[in-house]
Amino acid sequence: MTAVHVPGTPIIEDGRLVSTSPATGAEAGRLPVATAEDVGRAVDRARAAGEWWAGLGFGGRRERLLRWRSLLARRIEEIAELVHTEGGKPVADAVVEVVTAVEHVDWAARNARRVLGPRRVRSRLVLAEFSAHLEYQPYGVVGVIGPWNYPVFTPIGSAAYALAAGNAVVLKPSEYTPAVGQWLVDTFAEVVPEQPVFTAVHGLGDVGAALCRSGVDKVAFTGSSATARKVMAACAESLTPVLLEAGGKDAMIVDVDADLDAAAEACVWGALTNAGQTCIGIERVYAVEPVFDAFVGKVVERAGRLTVGPDNADIGPITMPSQVEVIRRHIDDALSRGGRAVLGGADAVQPPYVRPTVLVDVPEDSAAVREETFGPTLTINRVRDADEAVARANALSYGLGGSVFGRRHAVAIARRLRSGMASVNSALTFAGMSTLPFGGVGDSGFGRIHGEDGLREFSRAKAITRRRARSLLPSTTFERTPADVARLVKAIKVIYGR
Ligand code: NAD
C-alpha cells in the first residue's frame, strides 16, 4: 500500500525536499536536501565570504543591505504570492509580513554603525591614565534556523541584524517553506553577487541539527520550545552561543475602562491572523467581570464575520496538517471540562481548515489555556480585576508577548506581565517596531532580535584600554613600591570610603 500524501506535508523524493500547498497539494518548491557534509561545506564557504563581508565595513554593508531592502519592496507581490502558495496564508497577511521584514532590513542597515561601531567610553578615576574603547565585532558565521509560520519575517528578524553586524549567514528554513527561504537567499545574491554571504541549506530537523554542530559561531533558532531544547543541547557540545525564539501562549487583558470595540477588533486580529499560527498570537483573554459579557459579544460578532477558505479569505488552511489534531484536542478538552463554545466548537475543525472558535469559562488547567494551540481559537475567561488577570496571565512557563486594553492602569499592567514584550491598546504591534527588541522569557526562549539589542546579539563586545599617561598610582606592576600601595589605599578611602 502506498502512503497517501497529505497536502502540505513536506516529502523527500530523489534527494529533493518537496513542499506542497496545504490548501491544494500543488507542488510549491523542490530543493536539494543537504547532507551533514554539505552543511559543513556551506559553513566553510560562508566563513570566507564573511571575512570579505566584514571587510566591507558598515558603509559597504549598509549600501548593499539597502539595495536588498529595495528589491524586497519592489517584488513584494511576488514573494507574498509564494508565501501564500507554500504556507497557505492569505496574500494580505503575507504582504503585512513582508512589509514588517522590509522595515527591519532598513533599520538594521541604517543603525549598525551607530550601535556597534567603535567609540570611546569614559575612563574611571583610578585608571584615569588609560583611555577606554569599545566596539562590537561580528561573530563570523551565524546559523539561522527558521519556522514556517512567518517564513520571511522570522529569518529576516535574525539574518538582517546578523548581516548588518558583519556576519555571514547560513539559513536552514523550515521544511514546510523551503522555497520562501531559497527566494530570500537568491534575491540577496542578486544584490551581493560577489560572495556567498547569505546562503541556505535544506532538509528536515536533522539538517538543523547538523548546522548546530557545523562549527558556526552562533545559532539563532526560531521554532518550538521542544526543538529549542534540542538546539541548545547540541550547541552545548561545542559551547556555541544560542539565541532561542520559541513558542508562546500570549494573553490579552481587558480592564474595566477599556474601549471594548477597539479591544475586540485587536483581539480578533491578534488571535486569528494567519489562522492563529503566530508565536505572539493572542491565545487567551482575561476580561474583568463588569465588561466580560459585552466584550465576548463584540468578539463573537467580529470573528463570526470572517471568511475561511483557500483564496483571499480572511483565514487560510492550517499549514502543518499534524497541527489540526492538536487544535481538535484543545477544543474537545475545553468543552468536555465545562468550557462553552460561543463561536465554532468541535465541528469547526474541517481539515485543512478550522473555523474561528471562541471558548469561554474554560478551566485554567485545560490544554486550551496552558498549551500552545496554534490555531484560530481563543479562550476568554472572566476575572475579578486586573490583579487576578495578571496572576493568571503570568501563571504559565511561556512568556513571549501580551496585550492590555484599558486607560488608567494599562501601562502599569503591561509592565507587570512576565513577558519580553507587550502592546497597550493594540495587539502584536511591538513585532513591527524595528527600534524595539523582540524575544521572550522562560519557555519562550532568551536573547533578543530587532532593535539595538538585536544588533548586539549578533556581535561580540570588544574592549580595548590604551595608555595615555604615566601611572600616578602604579598598582598593576611589580615595580610598585610600598609607598605606591599606601598612596593607593589612601586614594581609595578618599574616593569611596565616605
Ligand atoms: P519546529 O521547532 O518544529 O521547527 C523549527 C525549525 O527547527 C525547523 O526548521 C526544523 O526543521 C528545525 N529543527 C527540527 N528539529 C531540529 C533539531 N533537532 N535541531 C535543529 N533544528 C531542528 O517549529 P515550527 O513548527 O517550524 O514553528 C512553530 C513554532 O515556532 C511555534 O512554537 C511558534 O510559537 C514558534 N515561533 C516562535 C517565534 C518567536 O519569535 N519566538 C516566531 C515564530 C514561531
Side-chain angles (χ1 to χ4, degrees):
M1 199 177 78
T2 49
V4 179
H5 175 244
V6 181
T9 307
I11 44 176
I12 292 180
E13 238 175 47
D14 301 330
R16 306 250 151 182
L17 175 65
V18 182
S19 63
T20 56
S21 157
T24 65
E27 181 172 324
R30 186 173 282 260
L31 282 311
V33 174
T35 62
E37 292 72 38
D38 294 333
V39 174
R41 278 192 287 273
V43 171
D44 289 345
R45 280 198 303 274
R47 190 165 304 288
E51 280 170 27
W52 171 80
W53 179 247
L56 289 178
F58 290 107
R61 294 194 296 270
R62 172 191 157 119
E63 188 252 316
R64 286 164 173 81
L65 281 165
L66 291 178
R67 268 198 266 147
W68 189 43
R69 175 219 58 193
S70 304
L71 181 156
L72 295 172
R74 280 197 310 274
R75 289 165 62 179
I76 188 165
E77 291 101 338
E78 178 188 332
I79 181 61
E81 195 59 45
L82 182 58
V83 169
H84 164 67
T85 305
E86 194 172 48
K89 80 171 57 168
V91 172
D93 277 349
V95 165
V96 174
E97 177 183 351
V98 181
V99 167
T100 313
V102 167
E103 173 62 31
H104 283 293
V105 177
D106 185 73
W107 192 87
R110 291 181 187 281
N111 289 278
R113 183 199 300 272
R114 177 180 62 79
V115 178
L116 306 177
R119 88 272 327 252
R120 277 274 289 277
V121 294
R122 288 180 77 112
S123 300
R124 300 282 291 168
L125 201 53
V126 284
L127 288 171
E129 69 273 34
F130 300 98
S131 59
H133 306 259
L134 172 63
E135 65 186 70
Y136 292 85
Q137 298 180 346
Y139 275 98
V141 184
V142 173
V144 173
I145 301 174
W148 47 265
N149 63 336
Y150 287 85
V152 175
F153 169 77
T154 52
I156 282 186
S158 293
Y161 290 82
L163 290 165
N167 302 280
V169 171
V170 178
L171 167 67
K172 200 313 248 172
S174 166
E175 54 272 37
Y176 290 84
T177 52
V180 172
Q182 190 61 41
W183 191 94
L184 294 179
V185 301
D186 286 347
T187 52
F188 187 84
E190 285 181 33
V191 297
V192 184
E194 299 94 330
Q195 297 267 351
V197 172
F198 182 27
T199 53
V201 290
H202 298 285
L204 307 180
D206 60 307
V207 177
L211 188 57
C212 295
R213 296 193 168 93
S214 65
V216 289
D217 302 291
K218 179 150 189 167
V219 169
F221 169 81
T222 307
S224 64
S225 304
T227 310
R229 288 185 170 84
K230 293 184 196 165
V231 165
M232 192 166 168
C235 288
E237 294 166 12
S238 52
L239 287 186
T240 302
V242 287
L243 157 78
L244 301 176
E245 297 286 354
K249 188 73 183 175
D250 286 359
M252 172 184 277
I253 293 175
V254 183
D255 202 4
V256 69
D257 53 357
D259 173 340
L260 295 186
D261 286 303
E265 183 186 343
C267 172
V268 169
W269 188 75
L272 306 181
T273 180
N274 196 23
Q277 304 166 111
T278 305
C279 54
I280 49 170
I282 304 296
E283 297 217 354
R284 321 174 269 156
V285 181
Y286 297 106
V288 297
E289 179 66 50
V291 303
F292 179 84
D293 289 331
F295 174 73
V296 170
K298 288 175 189 292
V299 167
V300 169
E301 190 266 314
R302 283 178 167 78
R305 273 193 259 135
L306 300 182
T307 55
V308 181
D311 284 313
N312 296 319
D314 297 311
I315 299 194
I318 300 304
T319 305
M320 206 165 52
S322 57
Q323 193 66 21
V324 173
E325 287 317 309
V326 175
I327 301 168
R328 192 197 303 275
R329 176 168 62 79
H330 287 195
I331 295 174
D332 290 349
D333 181 55
L335 296 179
S336 71
R337 300 180 56 197
R340 286 182 297 124
V342 287
L343 182 71
D347 56 5
V349 182
Q350 294 160 5
Y353 300 98
V354 178
R355 282 191 287 111
T357 291
V358 179
L359 303 161
V360 298
D361 299 330
V362 184
E364 287 290 306
D365 60 353
S366 68
V369 175
R370 299 192 66 83
E371 298 171 23
E372 193 177 50
T373 308
F374 240 50
T377 69
L378 175 68
T379 67
I380 311 180
N381 279 348
R382 66 184 86 222
V383 285
R384 253 187 344 269
D385 52 24
D387 285 346
E388 188 182 359
V390 170
R392 290 198 190 186
N394 290 349
L396 302 188
S397 50
Y398 287 121
L400 197 50
S403 166
V404 182
F405 270 78
R407 290 197 177 84
R408 277 191 62 197
H409 305 297
V411 172
I413 295 168
R415 288 206 177 97
R416 288 169 61 199
L417 283 178
R418 180 180 162 275
S419 68
M421 299 135 330
S423 49
V424 171
N425 294 331
S426 68
L428 280 50
T429 39
F430 45 75
M433 195 70 80
S434 43
T435 46
L436 280 177
F438 182 104
V441 305
D443 281 359
S444 295
F446 52 78
R448 295 292 182 263
I449 54 173
H450 304 172
E452 297 189 2
D453 297 84
L455 285 168
R456 287 191 203 101
E457 188 75 42
F458 294 105
S459 41
R460 296 187 175 104
K462 178 68 177 265
I464 298 174
T465 50
R466 181 176 178 187
R467 182 179 289 283
R468 57 185 172 186
R470 198 173 61 81
S471 295
L472 294 176
L473 293 172
S475 57
T476 56
T477 167
F478 289 116
E479 309 292 312
R480 68 193 169 200
T481 64
D484 288 332
V485 177
R487 272 203 305 279
L488 186 64
V489 168
K490 205 168 158 188
I492 211 73
K493 286 183 177 171
V494 169
I495 301 170
Y496 296 118
R498 284 159 293 153

